[in-house]
Amino acid sequence: MNAKLRINRFVIFFLFLFLTVYSFACDLDGHFNFNVSDDNDEILYAGCYDAINMGPHIIEYILTKERLEGDRVTRPYAMFTQNRDGGILMELLAEHGYSLPHHRDFRHSGYDRGHMAPNADFNNTYENALLTFFIGNIWPQTPDVNRIEWLKTENETRKLALKYSFIRIIIIVDEFSEEKINEKISIPLCFKKRVYDLYTGNLIYEIDVYQRLLTGEDE
């Protein structure tokens, strides 16, 4: 069996595992499981959505060396919509009396719409990159955090994927300020990233990125 075939079978195995088993529980009040899948119904990333604070409590996905070394597309010029997952999360939230925010809710706030599952980890196709522009995949991030500090962690995880071939990335957001955007979207105080080698299950990278709230001068 050649190396490429072995890699593809390994990827298929772990994607199947990812399709059927979440590594986290989403059993808190006001929290709901969701996933975003490609045209082949393979999950690109999954999460636990915090409908109370209006953002993803957890985002999880697998990043492979093969994806990073293949063809790449430019970043889509796109808005964050409510239906990149086919509208399933939006309908689920509505059934329980919750709703998703809109792209426009972040305007003039001073905060960026910060991807948790980043576009650049899924830009092997335009369609996959576009699927990261899901309103359920973002949190308010200051420009310094989004464009510098958090970007550093994304670049580091891509280096790890090239080194280890298959990594599992988990992002956790569970600390918030009392301040909100438009009196509804909570502003995180910390973004936690944990990365595991899929071969061994070992934790190979962890970091907590803290952000300070914007002042009137910052905005």
Side-chain angles (χ1 to χ4, degrees), residues 106-219:
F106 289 75
R107 290 177 185 162
H108 311 302
S109 69
Y111 289 89
D112 289 351
R113 303 170 183 89
H115 282 81
M116 295 297 99
N119 152 77
D121 282 0
F122 298 92
N123 62 357
N124 56 315
T125 70
Y126 178 84
E127 292 75 17
N128 284 355
L130 193 61
L131 289 173
T132 67
F133 286 80
F134 178 41
I135 203 71
N137 181 42
I138 66 171
W139 279 113
Q141 288 187 321
T142 65
D144 282 349
V145 168
N146 183 40
R147 305 172 201 181
I148 302 174
E149 298 305 320
W150 192 244
L151 179 60
K152 288 178 184 178
T153 76
E154 294 173 349
N155 290 333
E156 183 62 28
T157 56
R158 286 188 273 275
K159 291 177 185 177
L160 291 169
L162 293 173
K163 177 179 179 180
Y164 289 90
S165 296
F166 305 92
I167 60 173
R168 177 169 138 249
I169 299 168
I170 299 176
I171 297 158
I172 304 165
V173 179
D174 58 4
E175 299 179 34
F176 304 97
S177 166
E178 293 182 1
E179 183 178 325
K180 296 178 184 289
I181 291 177
N182 282 336
E183 299 182 350
K184 61 181 181 179
I185 304 170
S186 295
I187 301 172
L189 296 174
C190 183
F191 301 91
K192 304 171 185 178
K193 180 172 287 187
R194 307 291 182 260
V195 181
Y196 299 84
D197 175 13
L198 272 183
Y199 280 113
T200 64
N202 292 336
L203 178 67
I204 55 176
Y205 178 72
E206 63 177 321
I207 190 168
D208 295 348
V209 176
Y210 291 87
Q211 71 174 0
R212 64 176 181 85
L213 299 183
L214 296 178
T215 66
E217 294 180 357
D218 294 320
E219 298 175 16

Side-chain angles (χ1 to χ4, degrees), residues 11-77:
V11 172
I12 290 169
F13 170 75
F14 276 104
L15 286 177
F16 173 77
L17 207 60
F18 193 48
L19 277 166
T20 55
V21 180
Y22 288 109
S23 64
F24 52 84
C26 197
D27 54 3
L28 299 172
D29 289 342
H31 289 61
F32 304 88
N33 284 326
F34 73 95
N35 63 71
V36 176
S37 301
D38 63 17
D39 290 340
N40 298 316
D41 290 328
E42 293 179 348
I43 293 177
L44 294 181
Y45 60 95
C48 171
Y49 189 80
D50 177 351
I52 297 169
N53 292 295
M54 303 192 80
H57 171 53
I58 294 174
I59 291 286
E60 180 175 9
Y61 62 98
I62 293 170
L63 184 59
T64 70
K65 178 180 180 180
E66 185 177 36
R67 184 191 301 159
L68 294 176
E69 290 185 334
D71 294 335
R72 315 298 291 277
V73 300
T74 57
R75 178 188 174 97
Y77 183 73

